[in-house]
Amino acid sequence: MINFLNTAAQMVAAKSTISPDQKDLGAGTVASVVITGIVVVFIGLVLLILLVSIYGKIFDVINGRAARKAEEAKKAAEAAKAVAKPEPIKAAAPVVEDGIEEETVAVIMAAISAMSSAEGKKLVLKSVKTAKSQRPAWSTAGIIDNTRPF
């Protein structure tokens, strides 16, 4: 293989230019062009591999620093949380408008309780009122009809 490369290099050195009127190229010229192309492609690939691996190491260092800062902040938050525990809030009975059944209020409170346990927050029901409609039914139907997509 090395002898072939040396031979190809000698041929290229001997006749380095190809004239436009030359239609039949010699085997040495074709071999040198092919080998040069393959070598250039593989050098480019090796350089790309090195560049990507260097970028990977740089971003690993940056992510490591961010992870350490997040861990330190988490430890500080846990320490602050352990020191100052707030007292539980005692919820007052919600103000219920006349005409709303107790079962409806119980269902609303159960839904709020389920939402607060999922989020990890304590939500409190302060009052229950009937909702007033924003628009008449005919107005809402007209808006829906006029804004329907084509």
Side-chain angles (χ1 to χ4, degrees):
M1 179 75 177
I2 295 175
N3 289 335
F4 178 71
L5 291 175
N6 289 335
T7 306
Q10 289 171 358
M11 287 182 194
V12 169
K15 188 176 182 185
S16 61
T17 60
I18 300 172
S19 62
D21 60 340
Q22 190 177 14
K23 295 187 181 191
D24 187 23
L25 301 177
T29 306
V30 171
S32 66
V33 169
V34 169
I35 290 172
T36 303
I38 291 173
V39 168
V40 167
V41 167
F42 278 104
I43 288 173
L45 289 174
V46 168
L47 290 175
L48 283 174
I49 289 170
L50 291 174
L51 183 69
V52 168
S53 65
I54 289 171
Y55 278 157
K57 290 179 183 181
I58 289 171
F59 286 118
D60 284 342
V61 169
I62 292 171
N63 290 338
R65 288 180 186 167
R68 281 194 301 264
K69 287 181 182 179
E71 188 176 319
E72 290 173 1
K74 185 177 178 182
K75 286 181 182 179
E78 287 176 0
K81 189 176 183 182
V83 171
K85 268 193 171 177
E87 294 183 18
I89 300 171
K90 294 182 180 179
V95 178
V96 180
E97 190 177 277
D98 290 337
I100 299 176
E101 298 178 7
E102 291 180 7
E103 295 168 351
T104 306
V105 175
V107 169
I108 293 171
M109 289 180 74
I112 291 173
S113 175
M115 285 175 40
S116 68
S117 65
E119 294 178 3
K121 297 179 181 178
K122 292 200 174 206
L123 302 176
V124 179
L125 180 65
K126 293 186 177 182
S127 66
V128 179
K129 300 177 188 175
T130 56
K132 297 177 184 176
S133 66
Q134 298 290 336
R135 296 186 176 104
W138 286 107
S139 174
T140 305
I143 290 172
I144 290 172
D145 188 44
N146 290 329
T147 59
R148 185 175 332 137
F150 298 103

